[in-house]
Amino acid sequence: MKGLIISGKFGEIRVRQKHGEQIELGELLIAENKDSKILMQAYDLEYGSQLSQSNLELVSGMKIEEDTDMEFMDEKIRSYTIALLKNLITITKKPHSSKALPDFFSEVREVKKEDLSFLTKPSNPLFVGNLRSGSKQLDFGIFLPGEKVFSHHILISATTGRGKSNLASVMLWDLLGKDYAGILVLDPHDEYYGRNRFGLKDHPSENLIYYSINPPPGAFTLKINIRQIKPSHFNGAADWSDPQKEALSAFYKKFKEKWIEAIITEQDTGSKFSEGTIAVIRRRLLNLLSLDFVDRNIICNGIFDVNSGLSTLNEICMNLERGKMVVIDTSIFSGNVEILIGSLISTEILNKYKHYKNSGELEGKPVVSIFLEEAPRVLGKEVLEKGQNIFSTIAREGRKFKVGLTAITQLPSLIPREILANMNTKIILGIEMQPERQAIIESAAQDLSSDSRAIASLDKGEAIITSNFTRFAIPVKIPLFEEFAKVDERKETKNSFEGINLG
Ligand SMILES: Nc1ncnc2c1ncn2[C@@H]1O[C@H](COP(=O)(O)OP(=O)(O)OP(=O)(O)O)[C@@H](O)[C@H]1O
Ligand SMILES: [Mg+2]
């Protein structure tokens, strides 16, 4: 027994903690009624005492000033901790959201694995960690319904260093063994593949495809032909003024897929654009695409090429459509170039999936998710005020076409509320800044209004998952990637985790 329910109201149940026991913030507790169990969670703690305030002051005064202990009552009875709990779910034959209080004066105890046997493994399970009660980890794997959560977008949010990348690695490792999802990872820190250390490349499956500008053996060289770029691909990646945008469209209209070459070689559209405008877009294109124009030749210094790279986008999309994972090392590019690459692939895949929807082929295709670090770069309010881009389009309507985002950010408050609300699954790790917590809490699938403090005090790898596809906000502990993957690697069957269905 951990304590006894003594007062309170719905969503604010007060429990007196038993002497010698300790209830932690975030701990899961069970109260047993006659024909149901109620699962609850501690969200706040305070002191309680049998002594009046003036007696407390007297006793402390004697202790401080006279160094004498005044014993009023048995210590166990005299002072204690009060824990405030909220209901998560009522467990009966058919578990349902709680609408009643547990019995007055009922005992509360620790949650046990058996209490949660109503939860079974969903189809296309995505492993995210183990159930957590306060800081204790339970031997109980948490699986989300992978296909659904990916098409309805995932937001992973935390202060720097709390384990966002580690969580992404765990999810990606789990995904490599499955083919219900095609995953595109734009990796600005080149941290997932494991070029010089243990990483996704060490997974036994052959589902991983890695592109880099300097690929290790077995990986692919990233080359994209400039004729595949359209002006709209720059949305989010480059900030053009209105006259500049008009000039880009005019070139595209006249020269079709050779429009970039036409700008660089200074051809004429027939429309009147100022020389300054053309000079600026020309310079910026050369710069963004790492091109030079020497002796009337276009020299390609980066991944964008005039001759090669015509099939790259198509190959990447084909692999995504086969449920494979494509990791792109964008570590040496500027943020704008990374976004441009992401936007080229994302536009292509969304268009393909739109086409499949029209032709009735979408059903048989794997869901596609695009993993994106520092998501406010393309989904931020300031960026979107200047115009939509492919990522905001996917955030708004991608789920209809089975294309979703897995957005990673330290600063969710920069993302407009409407888009945050569209991200139906949020994995919240420790967030120190109040406005950031607030942005997440306000757009969460479950009521987290009393969890701000719990979110602030989450340690590395501790998270809360709130989702339209879970019954309640689930506290989890994410394993450390290397430990998780090395154990998993040794397992013969990949699906031998204990699972639960949260749908
Ligand atoms: N689940 C975990 N269990 C134990 N330690 C962890 C866990 N997750 C992360 N860590 C530790 O914290 C460190 C930082 O984690 P990680 O790189 O995933 O943070 P991040 O949120 O991605 O940070 P950044 O904002 O800098 O990208 C890791 O190197 C690891 O040592
Ligand atoms: Mg990181």
Side-chain angles (χ1 to χ4, degrees):
M1 201 237 290
K2 281 246 163 176
L4 213 60
I5 296 176
I6 52 162
S7 65
K9 58 182 183 185
F10 192 83
E12 200 184 309
I13 296 162
R14 299 172 76 82
V15 166
R16 173 174 168 154
Q17 177 186 292
K18 183 173 159 43
H19 184 81
E21 293 291 334
Q22 192 176 38
I23 298 179
E24 284 183 302
L25 221 50
E27 186 159 344
L28 298 175
L29 296 156
I30 294 272
E32 296 200 43
N33 284 359
K34 215 182 314 133
D35 45 13
S36 67
K37 290 190 258 186
I38 298 186
L39 177 65
M40 297 176 295
Q41 188 176 35
Y43 67 87
D44 211 350
L45 302 168
E46 56 189 50
Y47 291 115
S49 176
Q50 278 303 301
L51 304 184
S52 67
Q53 188 61 27
S54 62
N55 277 337
L56 284 170
E57 286 166 17
L58 174 64
V59 175
S60 56
M62 298 291 282
K63 171 95 184 156
I64 303 168
E65 307 301 340
E66 312 282 332
D67 202 19
T68 47
D69 271 329
M70 256 171 83
E71 290 292 338
F72 268 87
M73 249 182 258
D74 179 21
E75 187 204 340
K76 287 185 193 168
I77 307 290
R78 192 180 59 213
S79 46
Y80 36 85
T81 297
I82 299 281
L84 281 88
L85 314 185
K86 62 170 183 175
N87 303 39
L88 294 183
I89 194 164
T90 300
I91 308 168
T92 55
K93 276 209 186 85
K94 263 191 147 180
H96 53 88
S97 8
S98 297
K99 292 188 184 67
L101 286 169
D103 293 342
F104 197 63
F105 248 53
S106 51
E107 296 181 0
V108 299
R109 61 163 174 83
E110 268 180 344
V111 69
K112 290 189 295 233
K113 208 168 160 176
E114 301 78 70
D115 297 321
L116 302 165
S117 56
F118 68 95
L119 302 162
T120 52
K121 206 170 189 170
S123 57
N124 298 322
L126 169 70
F127 178 75
V128 277
N130 288 306
L131 186 67
R132 176 177 63 81
S133 174
S135 54
K136 288 182 290 287
Q137 189 180 154
L138 278 74
D139 178 23
F140 201 96
I142 297 294
F143 294 82
L144 299 173
E147 190 174 8
K148 288 185 197 154
V149 294
F150 279 121
S151 59
H152 288 71
H153 317 297
I154 301 179
L155 183 80
I156 299 176
S157 191
T159 302
T160 180
R162 294 293 175 96
K164 298 182 293 295
S165 300
N166 180 76
L167 165 63
S169 300
V170 168
M171 285 165 61
L172 294 172
W173 181 275
D174 182 63
L175 279 161
L176 275 173
K178 324 235 163 103
D179 55 11
Y180 67 85
I183 306 286
L184 173 68
V185 184
L186 299 171
D187 186 359
H189 305 116
D190 197 18
E191 60 187 329
Y192 295 118
Y193 179 74
R195 193 184 276 264
N196 303 313
R197 57 189 172 101
F198 186 80
L200 297 180
K201 70 169 186 321
D202 300 296
H203 195 284
S205 92
E206 291 182 349
N207 280 339
L208 180 68
I209 294 144
Y210 180 60
Y211 282 91
S212 174
I213 195 153
N214 52 346
F220 295 90
T221 311
L222 188 62
K223 277 276 172 209
I224 295 176
N225 198 284
I226 57 170
R227 294 193 180 165
Q228 297 194 310
I229 305 177
K230 293 180 185 151
S232 63
H233 289 131
F234 289 100
N235 297 347
D239 197 3
W240 308 107
S241 67
D242 287 340
Q244 289 165 350
K245 276 187 198 152
E246 277 165 35
L248 297 182
S249 310
F251 273 98
Y252 184 63
K253 209 164 160 201
K254 171 130 195 232
F255 297 98
K256 301 285 178 314
E257 80 272 10
K258 292 186 185 165
W259 69 284
I260 293 179
E261 287 149 274
I263 295 176
I264 291 172
T265 55
E266 296 176 314
Q267 297 186 38
D268 193 2
T269 56
S271 321
K272 284 206 173 56
F273 293 105
S274 83
E275 266 177 42
T277 304
I278 305 291
V280 172
I281 58 175
R282 182 170 178 275
R283 196 171 62 237
R284 287 182 67 191
L285 283 173
L286 287 171
N287 192 348
L288 255 171
L289 304 176
S290 291
L291 304 173
D292 276 319
F293 190 56
V294 186
D295 298 335
R296 304 217 56 78
N297 283 319
I298 298 177
I299 316 278
C300 310
N301 305 310
I303 64 153
F304 295 101
D305 208 293
V306 196
N307 304 309
S308 62
L310 268 169
S311 58
T312 309
L313 286 180
N314 200 31
E315 276 162 17
I316 292 175
C317 290
M318 294 281 279
N319 280 312
L320 295 175
E321 271 177 50
R322 290 193 195 112
K324 295 190 183 259
M325 182 180 298
V326 178
V327 175
I328 302 193
D329 164 22
T330 58
S331 59
I332 68 156
F333 308 133
S334 71
N336 291 346
V337 174
E338 183 196 8
I339 301 292
L340 177 60
I341 298 167
S343 137
L344 280 156
I345 305 171
S346 308
T347 308
E348 187 83 5
I349 195 79
L350 183 66
N351 287 342
K352 286 200 166 189
Y353 269 52
K354 279 184 172 169
H355 166 77
Y356 293 141
K357 172 136 189 170
N358 286 335
S359 62
E361 294 164 272
L362 190 60
E363 190 81 358
K365 298 285 174 190
V367 58
V368 169
S369 182
I370 300 156
F371 275 59
L372 190 66
E373 288 262 354
E374 293 167 50
R377 286 185 296 169
V378 285
L379 298 178
K381 290 171 197 158
E382 277 185 24
V383 182
L384 296 179
E385 267 164 22
K386 291 177 193 144
Q388 300 297 316
N389 56 60
I390 181 68
F391 303 100
S392 63
T393 305
I394 291 176
R396 291 206 167 88
E397 57 172 55
R399 74 194 139 76
K400 289 186 261 172
F401 309 102
K402 283 172 78 169
V403 179
L405 298 176
T406 299
I408 302 174
T409 181
Q410 300 176 33
L411 300 169
S413 69
L414 299 183
I415 300 175
R417 218 180 231 247
E418 179 209 348
I419 291 190
L420 275 184
N422 258 339
M423 314 213 107
N424 282 341
T425 300
K426 298 187 177 74
I427 308 184
I428 311 166
L429 294 116
I431 304 180
E432 265 155 35
M433 287 185 288
Q434 211 281 332
E436 304 307 327
R437 291 201 296 275
Q438 200 53 34
I440 292 268
I441 288 171
E442 280 170 3
S443 61
Q446 280 93 10
D447 177 15
L448 299 182
S449 54
S450 52
D451 289 311
S452 188
R453 198 159 305 152
I455 294 171
S457 63
L458 292 172
D459 254 325
K460 279 185 182 173
E462 294 179 354
I464 295 174
I465 300 179
T466 162
S467 170
N468 290 15
F469 305 104
T470 63
R471 293 275 186 77
F472 53 90
I474 305 159
V476 298
K477 171 76 175 86
I478 297 144
L480 191 61
F481 170 64
E482 287 82 359
E483 289 168 11
F484 161 74
K486 283 180 180 159
V487 171
D488 191 50
E489 212 180 16
R490 274 181 256 124
K491 278 198 179 145
E492 273 175 63
T493 54
K494 294 209 28 69
N495 290 328
S496 54
F497 286 101
E498 299 258 351
I500 62 174
N501 184 359
L502 303 152

